[in-house]
Amino acid sequence: MSFKKLYIETFGCQMNFSDSEIVVSIMNDTGYEVTGKVQEADIIFINTCSVRENAEQRVWNKLRELKSLKKKNPGLRIGILGCMAERLKKKMFEEEAVDLIAGPDSYRSLPGLISATLQGQKAVNVLLSTQETYAEIDPVRYDSNGVTAFISVMRGCEKFCAYCVVPFTRGRERSRDPATIIDEAGKLFEKGYREVTLLGQNVNSYKWVTENGSVNFAGLLEMVAMVNPGLRIRFATSHPMDLSDELLKTMSGHNNICKSIHLPVQSGSSRILELMNRNYTREWYMARIEAIRKFMPDCTISTDIIAGFCSETEEDHRQTLSLMEWVGYNYAFMFKYSERSNTIAARKYRDDIPDEVKGKRLHEIIDKQRKLSYASNKKDVGKTFEVLVEGFSRKSKHHLSGRNTHNKVIVFPGKDYKPGDYVHVKVTDCTSATLIGEAVE
Ligand code: 5AD
Ligand code: SF4
């Protein structure tokens, strides 16, 4: 059988990248293989993100670019997948260049949708499901380093943070059968992968219930850790409300569960947290950080922060900066608040912080984080870590790059190692983004 060509571009979060791997698997079964060359594509998919206005803007720009390709090649089909498909189906439908629209839960219907577009129709399926987890679909790791992989363990979110579109674009929470997760992890190890990241919008609310009992996220993590001691496990993302002591204990009990936690705080002000509907206060969050430190003193902590949420004062902002300092995050994703229509915040509050003020606060947050990252890295100079090699460093073919258990990137010279090797590396220097070292063995 000769394969037709699929070009796929993904915007947004790790979940979206993981979804694209599922899409490629479904497309392989439909007679399409991935190409890296957009010019030779028979079909182009854009897997989209709606989380912030500028994420959506990038997709609109991309579409404009693709329109000219379609003029040259009228047989080309263009599909919009993911969160924007869900959120903006009407507007997308009016776009001349778009032939196909499929939401995050409708990827199994892609073969049928494609047939319809080949007959000249526009095809849409954005139905959300309460059950779809794509559990038994074997994702195609089409853009992989062969060492690290994502495994999606649950989908959807029901937290309804006031600023967030995800509960609307990705629907209800549902968990995937643990047997299929263990199976996927085992197969990845056999193929040479040495690290898996268990993914979900809120992995800590993972729950699989059968007549014989139930498995929560701590239980799942333990099961995956037992697949092979040589397989590292990470997970993302955790909501602070659901980060249990049981989970921390499980993490501390297994060497191959990486000692780093991504724990989005969003704001350091209890008043703003309440408006955000985060269901915790600054003090409560600090107590969770103390719990992490108690179970795993050397665990690194990263976070997400939003600058300039509705009604945020200078004092609220200062509380964010002081909480960052108190935690000493080793890494952060930092954003300006971006109002999304239909979210709770868009319906209830005014987006009243001027863009310059949001920008200034974001700048201060980024500046603070750069200093914290540098301080955190500086403490590692002189220490030796086990590094899982992922490939060559971006800057030099003579340097390898990998990460330690703390999710810090370490670059070191070496010809004798290959991706997938574990190497002991002594840190000799650092920047705010990278540790620099030498192999010691
Ligand atoms: N504006 C800005 N940032 C947002 N995030 C989610 N929604 C918004 C929004 N409307 C950020 C949060 C979340 C991360 C994935 O994106 O920090 O944790
Ligand atoms: Fe973007 Fe959120 Fe959708 Fe991920 S779930 S693609 S971050 S809107």
Side-chain angles (χ1 to χ4, degrees):
M1 182 168 78
S2 87
F3 279 91
K4 289 184 163 189
K5 303 282 186 206
L6 162 71
Y7 179 86
I8 183 162
E9 186 156 342
T10 308
F11 292 84
C13 61
Q14 295 167 333
M15 282 294 288
N16 246 21
F17 283 87
S18 167
D19 279 6
S20 288
E21 296 182 337
I22 288 164
V23 167
V24 170
S25 173
I26 294 169
M27 291 297 282
N28 278 175
D29 294 344
T30 319
Y32 287 82
E33 66 184 3
V34 169
T35 173
K37 296 186 194 134
V38 72
Q39 293 82 1
E40 67 174 29
D42 298 294
I43 190 159
I44 298 175
F45 282 161
I46 313 182
N47 197 354
T48 62
C49 172
S50 280
V51 77
R52 282 170 296 276
E53 177 66 35
N54 63 5
E56 290 194 345
Q57 207 48 57
R58 284 168 57 210
V59 171
W60 290 118
N61 295 345
K62 189 84 216 170
L63 254 181
R64 219 162 293 137
E65 245 177 79
L66 294 180
K67 263 186 203 164
S68 58
L69 264 183
K70 199 164 175 179
K71 279 213 183 92
K72 281 187 234 149
N73 172 11
L76 176 66
R77 294 290 178 266
I78 296 179
I80 299 290
L81 314 182
C83 291
M84 273 173 89
E86 190 64 49
R87 206 177 86 82
L88 297 172
K89 45 196 167 277
K90 263 207 187 123
K91 205 169 160 199
M92 286 289 178
F93 202 73
E94 288 160 10
E95 269 296 319
E96 210 187 314
V98 173
D99 303 289
L100 180 157
I101 302 169
D105 287 345
S106 16
Y107 299 145
R108 282 182 209 264
S109 68
L110 283 170
L113 296 174
I114 291 170
S115 306
T117 68
L118 293 176
Q119 286 155 23
Q121 298 163 24
K122 279 203 188 224
V124 185
N125 184 353
V126 291
L127 286 181
L128 285 175
S129 156
T130 52
Q131 271 134 39
E132 181 63 274
T133 60
Y134 301 111
E136 80 301 348
I137 292 182
D138 199 9
V140 174
R141 319 284 172 179
Y142 64 94
D143 188 20
S144 166
N145 57 14
V147 178
T148 60
F150 296 129
I151 302 182
S152 164
V153 303
M154 57 89 64
R155 298 178 73 82
C157 180
E158 293 171 21
K159 292 280 176 205
F160 289 96
C161 300
Y163 49 78
C164 189
V165 288
V166 174
F168 307 98
T169 60
R170 286 186 168 267
R172 306 299 292 264
E173 281 177 3
R174 65 222 97 122
S175 297
R176 176 177 166 192
D177 184 340
T180 67
I181 297 169
I182 303 305
D183 188 51
E184 191 173 329
K187 283 188 185 145
L188 283 166
F189 188 82
E190 278 166 27
K191 284 188 193 151
Y193 287 83
R194 291 295 174 263
E195 183 181 299
V196 294
T197 302
L198 307 184
L199 283 185
Q201 237 70 45
N202 176 23
V203 281
N204 302 137
S205 41
Y206 177 90
K207 197 157 188 73
W208 182 257
V209 185
T210 63
E211 290 145 14
N212 307 326
S214 68
V215 181
N216 64 9
F217 187 64
L220 177 71
L221 200 59
E222 176 125 57
M223 287 159 81
V224 182
M226 305 294 272
V227 167
N228 194 301
L231 183 69
R232 277 184 175 179
I233 331 288
R234 302 185 188 279
F235 56 91
T237 287
S238 302
H239 191 293
M241 279 308 284
D242 299 323
L243 187 82
S244 65
D245 281 2
E246 184 196 4
L247 176 68
L248 298 176
K249 199 165 160 214
T250 304
M251 284 181 77
S252 71
H254 293 268
N255 258 334
N256 58 336
I257 303 181
C258 291
K259 303 297 178 280
S260 95
I261 296 183
H262 187 65
L263 199 65
V265 66
Q266 313 298 0
S267 168
S269 151
S270 294
R271 188 184 74 82
I272 294 292
L273 288 169
E274 184 166 359
L275 291 178
M276 286 178 164
N277 203 22
R278 291 289 287 174
N279 276 311
Y280 56 84
T281 58
R282 174 189 176 93
E283 290 69 31
W284 199 92
Y285 183 91
M286 290 165 89
R288 290 324 296 150
I289 300 292
E290 276 168 346
I292 296 172
R293 302 253 187 266
K294 187 179 90 189
F295 284 99
M296 296 167 284
D298 65 341
C299 188
T300 51
I301 301 165
S302 56
T303 200
D304 293 351
I305 297 174
I306 298 177
F309 187 65
C310 313
S311 85
E312 186 187 74
T313 62
E314 277 301 317
E315 173 52 27
D316 293 320
H317 169 60
R318 272 198 295 279
Q319 292 205 14
T320 298
L321 293 172
S322 75
L323 187 63
M324 290 174 73
E325 183 88 39
W326 183 85
V327 178
Y329 293 113
N330 77 299
Y331 191 80
F333 296 97
M334 300 155 283
F335 314 102
K336 269 195 230 174
Y337 173 59
S338 160
E339 185 178 84
R340 315 309 294 132
S341 53
N342 293 327
T343 54
I344 298 167
R347 280 183 269 136
K348 277 175 61 179
Y349 316 130
R350 244 168 23 96
D351 179 15
D352 56 354
I353 307 302
D355 196 56
E356 319 83 79
V357 178
K358 284 181 186 171
K360 181 186 134 288
R361 289 179 188 167
L362 178 64
H363 189 80
E364 285 173 17
I365 289 170
I366 291 173
D367 211 45
K368 162 78 67 191
Q369 186 52 50
R370 195 177 309 116
K371 287 177 186 144
L372 292 175
S373 297
Y374 185 68
S376 161
N377 284 353
K378 195 94 191 149
K379 274 196 239 156
D380 288 339
V381 174
K383 292 185 192 163
T384 298
F385 296 103
E386 186 177 64
V387 174
L388 173 61
V389 179
E390 292 176 20
F392 290 111
S393 121
R394 257 182 297 167
K395 287 191 190 140
S396 149
K397 283 264 176 267
H398 305 293
H399 285 71
L400 295 164
S401 171
R403 276 173 300 150
N404 65 6
T405 184
H406 306 305
N407 210 16
K408 290 189 180 184
V409 174
I410 303 192
V411 173
F412 63 99
K415 299 189 293 288
D416 309 335
Y417 308 103
K418 56 184 189 315
D421 285 349
Y422 285 104
V423 182
H424 284 95
V425 179
K426 182 167 183 185
V427 179
T428 52
D429 199 359
C430 72
T431 68
S432 64
T434 314
L435 299 177
I436 298 148
E438 285 162 6
V440 285
E441 246 163 341

